[in-house]
Amino acid sequence: MVHAQFDPAARQALAVAAVDAKTRKDLSWQRIADASGLSVAFTTAAVLGQHALPEDSAKAVAELLGLDDDAALLLQTIPTRGSIPGGIPTDPTIYRFYEMLQVYGTTLKALVHEQFGDGIISAINFKLDVKKVADPEGGERAVITLDGKYLPTKPF
């Protein structure tokens, strides 16, 4: 049976325990994803409390992290989503994404609507990828791909 949460506290506590186990065992997110059989972005989001894992994946992740059966069950519950509390984010990395949306959000909206019409880009039917690439001018660049299904507004 599928179960959903109404209070994010249990998943937040599990996320803290899972990250602690990840650190103690010196595991990468990719290694945890390999155990789950799912993408690194989806698995990371799930362990951090933003997605439910399928049963086999949840059990494999819990085993790898040394978490108990209750944790494996909790990893399978549909969470109350949203990982950033109200207000402007203070973590510098998260704040930069907030800043990017403040600067480019209206541009993205204008370009999406011009190309697709009235609608939204799904965060449910969605893929995320993060890559590190060399910068031709020196250093490194982050390439972040947000790949969501377009869902048109339907008049009723």
Side-chain angles (χ1 to χ4, degrees):
M1 175 180 287
V2 176
H3 295 282
Q5 297 176 294
F6 71 95
D7 180 356
R11 284 298 290 271
Q12 289 170 347
L14 176 56
V16 169
V19 170
D20 180 57
K22 174 190 176 292
T23 302
R24 280 185 288 102
K25 292 176 173 279
D26 194 29
L27 297 170
S28 68
W29 287 115
Q30 184 61 61
R31 175 66 185 93
I32 297 168
D34 291 344
S36 77
L38 302 168
S39 77
V40 67
F42 188 89
T43 302
T44 303
V47 172
L48 295 178
Q50 298 304 304
H51 289 304
L53 287 174
E55 183 178 1
D56 291 346
S57 297
K59 288 179 178 180
V61 167
E63 183 178 339
L64 178 64
L65 293 173
L67 302 173
D68 63 18
D69 290 343
D70 288 341
L73 183 61
L74 191 54
L75 283 169
Q76 297 171 61
T77 63
I78 300 168
T80 299
R81 293 179 172 94
S83 61
I84 302 172
I88 297 171
T90 57
D91 177 84
T93 302
I94 297 172
Y95 175 79
R96 292 298 174 235
F97 285 101
Y98 173 81
E99 178 183 41
M100 287 176 224
L101 286 175
Q102 286 289 352
V103 174
Y104 293 104
T106 53
T107 300
L108 290 166
K109 177 180 172 47
L111 294 172
V112 165
H113 290 311
E114 182 175 283
Q115 293 178 38
F116 294 92
D118 188 11
I120 63 168
I121 300 187
S122 176
I124 300 299
N125 189 336
F126 184 81
K127 297 176 185 174
L128 167 68
D129 190 41
V130 178
K131 290 183 182 170
K132 180 169 61 171
V133 298
D135 186 336
E137 298 174 5
E140 298 169 332
R141 298 187 68 79
V143 177
I144 300 164
T145 303
L146 307 173
D147 181 350
K149 181 174 183 174
Y150 180 74
L151 303 172
T153 299
K154 294 183 180 181
F156 60 94

